[in-house]
Amino acid sequence: MAHVYDASAIEVLTGLEPVRKRPGMYTQTENPNHLAHEVIDNSVDEVIAGFASKIKVTLHSDHSLSVSDNGRGIPVDLHQEEGLPGVEVIMTRLHSGAKFSSKSYLYSGGLHGVGVSVVNALSTRLDVRIRRDGIHYEINFADGECVQKLTEIDRILKRNTGTRIQFWPDPQYFDTDQFNIRKLKRLMLAKAVLCSGLELDYVDEIHPENSEKWLFEEGLGDYLVSMLNGSERVPAESPIIVHRKSDDIQVDCASVWTPEASQIVSESYVNLIPTEAGGTHVNGFRTGITEAVREFCELRNLLPRGIRISTEDVWRHCSFVLSVRVEDPQFSGQAKERLNSKTVGTSLTSVARNAFSLWLNQNVVAAQQISELAIDNAKQRERSSRSVKRRKPGIGPALPGKLADCTSDKVDETELFLVEGDSAGGSAKQARNRETQAILPLRGKILNTWEVASSEVLGSEEVHSIAVALGVDPCSSRINGLRYGKICILADADADGAHIATLLCALFVKHFPVLVENGKVYVALPPLYRVDAGKQVYYALDDQELETTTAKIRDAKPNVKITVQRFKGLGEMNPSQLKETTMNPDTRRLLQLSIESHSGTESMFNRLLAKKQAADRKAWLSEKGNKAQL
């Protein structure tokens, strides 16, 4: 009997229910480390604001984690609208907090108002103790619900203030409920380095020998040197330190060049939040340094004829730690792994160019060494480009008729976009950089090649076009004929697009593994939504980003009209939108295709695409399909 679809079928998730229903939209579910990050970040925000100087993180013998600080203490007075103590609102309401504006925190990492409430939602138990206004308070939660209201437990000195949060992660939401202590300690070390004067203690009750304490008064350069483990570096004396502060941004950076490039350190942070996937701040930093080195080389006539230095030539030997503090950072999702703020990139370019130009001209000997490294890289790239056999009409198979090729013959700087459909392909051709970006439109879903022999896979016209455009044969062990430095899969942001991207990923993993192993294959992440708020335009990758973006807009501008457009496909974007969101290297989002476990990858693709596992696939989708994310 068919179910009746009426208003009774509509579910409204309230409170913390959305988090427990879709935890992957709010946090990383491999382990509970990200929950620890959220709590630690709140304490660090107190340090950044100048109200705390000490943080203590304790791994208890029952595998719970506590974080305490000597900050102001979470507010305990009644919230006017909710009628509850401030701490209870923060712990039980999504999108609540004091970080949506700059009234309480000028620079902050917790801007979405969902961090600590997510910790509460995904913990079997969470206890909060607050020292504020001469009173020691306690409030307790279980499975996200308040089980003991805020109570006074002691009278204390008024100057004794702070917050202590202890939580027990719920195993049902994580692959493992054990913290990755090595990564957690690395995060804490970075926080201490980036926040000079912060005394940060880690106490391990399970393995006391792992306990550690950090305090760096001026440690950014020393931290970078320690991470390089004695590698030869330029400058040899100490790293190049940049410190710039203006009304809307603060930049701190330490950088060196290592001639052997045997160990490269590249770490970036925004408001002390690690941005492992980089973002606009790193892109701007790279561009600024490149412009400064080019200018130095040109003023001193160091460049050989016909040689032009690219960003990668300068960047290849560079190790850096970059810390940026901004008032209103735009992150890609709750995990905050990448910064998307476009104005930050422009500011970083200016800061890096000016600071490095000054340093290079004041330190000519070291500057010439850095320039020589970049020039040598450029020469090597030129030789590599000349040695690569470019496929031209009359040499080998004719290039596909639909291929809009790029003009550059420098393989390392070129990109091939495999685009879903002629309509999207047309927009992409108008949005591309004609010098470095090539477009190959594909007709809908390509053949499922997971169980097709490599000797037969070229029987598919679309696969044959891809192979010819790439200049690499299926299952080749060499890439010396590769015509492009990057292959980017560009499909719609909906379910059909995800299916097409999966089929293309399977093609490369199965039949072009050498390209995956060499890090040549990427998946582009176009937005699913456009959000218009007055004259401002935002883009959201998925439902979760849409939710956080609209919530933030409403809090910042309650009266502004918000219009949300869901893109039906890439072809619906105009070329300027496609360029800004998906093709411009400074603003786009790319995921590099890699294989961490061959057996795990094969098992996953078998489950998704193998014909013999259709029944298992159906059962798996029935059980876990609702957890899938596009």
Side-chain angles (χ1 to χ4, degrees):
M1 179 179 177
H3 291 287
V4 176
Y5 180 58
D6 55 19
S8 65
I10 300 173
E11 294 182 74
V12 178
L13 301 179
T14 59
L16 300 180
E17 289 180 77
V19 183
R20 289 190 286 269
K21 191 77 171 177
R22 300 284 190 273
M25 293 177 63
Y26 296 87
T27 190
Q28 298 167 352
T29 55
E30 292 83 3
N31 57 52
N33 269 39
H34 191 240
L35 301 189
H37 294 185
E38 294 287 0
V39 183
I40 293 172
D41 287 344
N42 283 347
S43 292
V44 170
D45 285 340
E46 282 289 282
V47 177
I48 295 175
F51 296 105
S53 59
K54 296 180 181 179
I55 299 175
K56 181 179 179 181
V57 180
T58 304
L59 179 65
H60 297 276
S61 55
D62 60 359
H63 296 281
S64 65
L65 193 85
S66 66
V67 179
S68 59
D69 62 57
N70 63 342
R72 290 169 289 184
I74 299 175
V76 295
D77 54 311
L78 289 182
H79 189 276
Q80 290 184 355
E81 296 179 5
E82 297 290 335
L84 297 171
V87 60
E88 187 172 345
V89 174
I90 289 171
M91 291 294 170
T92 60
R93 303 289 192 273
L94 292 175
H95 308 296
S96 61
K99 301 171 186 176
F100 295 107
S101 69
S102 58
K103 295 177 181 178
S104 300
Y105 296 91
L106 179 59
Y107 302 128
S108 169
L111 297 172
H112 297 155
V114 297
V116 77
S117 56
V118 169
V119 179
N120 189 26
L122 302 181
S123 298
T124 57
R125 174 181 164 191
L126 185 143
D127 298 341
V128 186
R129 290 196 171 192
I130 301 165
R131 303 183 306 278
R132 188 181 174 106
D133 303 323
I135 302 174
H136 196 179
Y137 299 91
E138 182 175 17
I139 186 171
N140 305 111
F141 303 85
D143 298 319
E145 302 292 334
C146 182
V147 294
Q148 178 183 309
K149 290 291 185 178
L150 186 70
T151 57
E152 298 182 13
I153 58 175
D154 199 7
R155 290 278 176 173
I156 55 176
L157 295 175
K158 281 196 172 183
R159 66 173 181 269
N160 185 6
T161 62
T163 301
R164 180 183 184 275
I165 296 177
Q166 183 173 2
F167 65 97
W168 289 255
D170 192 332
Q172 68 174 307
Y173 298 115
F174 303 95
D175 297 338
T176 172
D177 62 345
Q178 303 299 305
F179 294 95
N180 185 324
I181 298 303
R182 181 182 61 82
K183 290 186 177 181
L184 195 58
K185 288 180 68 175
R186 181 177 175 82
L187 174 83
M188 289 186 283
L189 168 62
K191 298 288 188 186
V193 170
L194 296 168
C195 201
S196 59
L198 167 62
E199 182 180 323
L200 205 160
D201 291 358
Y202 171 66
V203 178
D204 195 322
E205 294 182 352
I206 301 175
H207 301 288
E209 65 276 9
N210 288 337
S211 298
E212 202 163 347
K213 179 181 292 188
W214 301 279
L215 173 61
F216 298 91
E217 294 296 342
E218 297 290 341
L220 202 62
D222 292 339
Y223 172 63
L224 177 58
V225 170
S226 69
M227 294 296 291
L228 291 171
N229 295 324
S231 297
E232 181 186 355
R233 61 184 186 272
V234 180
E237 298 78 17
S238 62
I240 303 170
I241 302 296
V242 175
H243 174 74
R244 294 289 186 276
K245 186 175 182 179
S246 62
D247 293 338
D248 59 348
I249 191 170
Q250 177 177 321
V251 180
D252 293 280
C253 177
S255 57
V256 298
W257 274 257
T258 52
E260 297 301 323
S262 57
Q263 183 174 0
I264 297 295
V265 175
S266 57
E267 295 185 5
S268 62
Y269 301 82
V270 175
N271 295 359
L272 277 67
I273 303 294
T275 47
E276 295 180 2
T280 52
H281 57 318
V282 176
N283 293 335
F285 179 65
R286 287 166 50 116
T287 302
I289 290 179
T290 302
E291 291 178 358
V293 173
R294 283 176 180 164
E295 182 183 70
F296 180 84
C297 292
E298 290 169 0
L299 287 174
R300 286 166 172 76
N301 295 316
L302 300 178
L303 288 173
R305 187 174 180 179
I307 295 295
R308 177 174 172 79
I309 295 175
S310 72
T311 302
E312 289 304 322
D313 296 332
V314 177
W315 201 248
R316 182 178 174 187
H317 293 272
C318 182
S319 288
F320 70 93
V321 180
L322 173 66
S323 175
V324 178
R325 300 185 187 184
V326 294
E327 182 176 339
D328 188 26
Q330 304 291 324
F331 292 102
S332 60
Q334 177 59 21
K336 306 185 185 85
E337 292 181 337
R338 179 182 174 86
L339 182 71
N340 287 342
S341 304
K342 297 177 179 61
T343 56
V344 174
T346 304
S347 298
L348 260 293
T349 296
S350 176
V351 168
R353 181 180 58 246
N354 294 337
F356 274 84
S357 291
L358 180 63
W359 188 93
L360 291 170
N361 286 287
Q362 290 177 340
N363 300 269
V364 176
V365 175
Q368 287 180 335
Q369 290 177 288
I370 293 171
S371 299
E372 287 171 3
L373 285 173
I375 292 170
D376 287 344
N377 289 336
K379 289 179 178 178
Q380 182 180 347
R381 176 169 51 80
E382 288 288 338
R383 288 193 296 269
S384 175
S385 296
R386 286 195 295 268
S387 67
V388 173
K389 180 182 179 182
R390 302 289 293 176
R391 291 187 179 270
K392 299 180 180 179
I395 302 178
L399 292 174
K402 290 187 176 182
L403 174 67
D405 210 353
C406 52
T407 59
S408 173
D409 60 357
K410 299 175 182 178
V411 174
D412 289 345
E413 68 180 22
T414 60
E415 303 173 336
L416 173 65
F417 283 83
L418 302 176
V419 185
E420 171 193 346
D422 290 335
S423 177
S427 293
K429 289 176 185 178
Q430 296 179 62
R432 67 178 174 139
N433 179 332
R434 292 177 179 272
E435 181 180 355
T436 59
Q437 294 178 327
I439 308 296
L440 179 61
L442 302 174
R443 291 186 301 179
K445 294 183 175 66
I446 71 163
L447 175 71
N448 178 359
T449 62
W450 185 246
E451 295 180 314
V452 178
S454 293
S455 59
E456 302 175 2
V457 74
L458 291 179
S460 164
E461 182 181 348
E462 296 298 309
V463 175
H464 182 269
S465 295
I466 292 172
V468 172
L470 293 175
V472 177
D473 293 328
C475 276
S476 172
S477 60
R478 304 177 65 183
I479 61 171
N480 62 340
L482 183 63
R483 303 180 67 245
Y484 305 96
K486 286 182 180 178
I487 300 102
C488 304
I489 297 170
L490 179 52
D492 291 347
D494 58 13
D496 280 341
H499 187 190
I500 291 171
T502 300
L503 291 171
L504 286 167
C505 288
L507 171 68
F508 286 108
V509 169
K510 185 77 171 183
H511 301 289
F512 298 91
V514 66
L515 300 181
V516 180
E517 292 164 2
N518 282 273
K520 300 295 185 181
V521 185
Y522 295 78
V523 179
L525 300 178
L528 187 59
Y529 298 101
R530 168 181 167 142
V531 182
D532 290 88
K535 296 182 180 179
Q536 296 294 319
V537 177
Y538 304 84
Y539 294 96
L541 182 67
D542 49 29
D543 290 337
Q544 189 263 326
E545 272 197 15
L546 176 65
E547 181 182 346
T548 56
T549 300
T550 53
K552 184 171 183 178
I553 293 170
R554 289 193 182 98
D555 283 298
K557 300 178 180 179
N559 298 322
V560 72
K561 180 181 178 181
I562 298 177
T563 304
V564 178
Q565 175 190 359
R566 187 183 191 277
F567 292 115
K568 295 179 181 178
L570 296 171
E572 195 173 286
M573 291 184 180
N574 61 48
S576 62
Q577 291 174 330
L578 190 59
K579 179 178 181 178
E580 178 184 8
T581 63
T582 315
M583 301 188 72
N584 185 340
D586 290 338
T587 55
R588 70 188 181 190
R589 286 184 265 188
L590 290 181
L591 285 180
Q592 188 176 50
L593 189 61
S594 62
I595 301 175
E596 295 184 2
S597 167
H598 285 276
S599 59
T601 300
E602 185 171 357
S603 174
M604 177 56 71
F605 274 115
N606 280 336
R607 176 180 290 173
L608 291 172
L609 300 174
K611 295 178 182 178
K612 294 181 180 180
Q613 293 199 18
D616 295 337
R617 183 158 55 246
K618 182 177 180 181
W620 179 67
L621 288 170
S622 298
E623 180 183 353
K624 298 184 178 181
N626 63 328
K627 298 180 180 180
Q629 297 181 49
L630 299 180

